[in-house]
Amino acid sequence: MAGEAEIGELRPGRRWMIASAVGVAGLMGLSIVVDEPVDEQNDLALAGSELTRTDSGATVWRGMLSNLGAEACRDLSVEIRFLDRSGGLTGELSARASRLAAGGRFDLEAALPEGAVELQVYALRWRTRDASIELGPFRPRPLARSGV
């Protein structure tokens, strides 16, 4: 690496100063991770997920995202992916809401793509008074096929 050769050519006192700067930068990066909000990670939950048939015979997925937190979510964005047996993408659902009150719910609905057997909440993004949160992707879960 170019950086190693340059550090080796410096006087011993300067090597220590550069190493200290790198160490401090590493600690600052660690503190950013530690300071990231963890309280909000469980504020949103996919509380419902079901498959139904329309009068025309099409299969529709319906879900509900619940705000379990103590404050409203603003600028909510949800990305859900539908996956086939091999984990390949068969379709997506993107939805947005400007505000979701504490204790509120956000209904989601999409035509089920052909071959979809799993659902993955790919991304959840929202803002609170103190933080901007982005979570995902989450582990895929099987689509319940009872009643369809």
Side-chain angles (χ1 to χ4, degrees):
M1 290 174 48
E4 290 179 29
E6 293 170 9
I7 291 173
E9 295 170 7
L10 297 174
R11 293 190 313 248
R14 292 193 183 241
R15 270 190 238 141
W16 183 86
M17 203 167 22
I18 291 171
S20 295
V22 170
V24 169
L27 287 175
M28 287 174 53
L30 179 61
S31 70
I32 290 169
V33 172
V34 170
D35 289 344
E36 210 170 290
V38 292
D39 295 339
E40 290 88 358
Q41 288 187 4
N42 296 320
D43 284 359
L44 294 177
L46 188 60
S49 178
E50 68 177 1
L51 298 177
T52 59
R53 288 220 187 263
T54 63
D55 293 337
S56 64
T59 304
V60 173
W61 174 82
R62 288 189 176 102
M64 178 182 58
L65 196 65
S66 294
N67 181 356
L68 306 174
E71 67 178 286
C73 297
R74 294 177 294 136
D75 302 325
L76 174 62
S77 171
V78 181
E79 292 178 42
I80 293 178
R81 292 186 170 180
F82 297 98
L83 309 171
D84 63 16
R85 291 190 193 291
S86 63
L89 183 66
T90 60
E92 295 178 287
L93 165 67
S94 293
R96 296 183 183 279
S98 59
R99 187 173 188 281
L100 181 59
R105 66 182 227 185
F106 184 40
D107 293 321
L108 305 166
E109 184 176 311
L112 188 68
E114 186 69 34
V117 296
E118 289 183 317
L119 168 123
Q120 179 186 34
V121 177
Y122 188 74
L124 292 174
R125 296 178 192 93
W126 73 97
R127 292 184 317 131
T128 63
R129 179 184 43 210
D130 301 323
S132 290
I133 298 103
E134 181 170 344
L135 301 175
F138 296 91
R139 179 175 295 145
R141 60 171 94 171
L143 289 166
R145 297 224 173 248
S146 61
V148 216

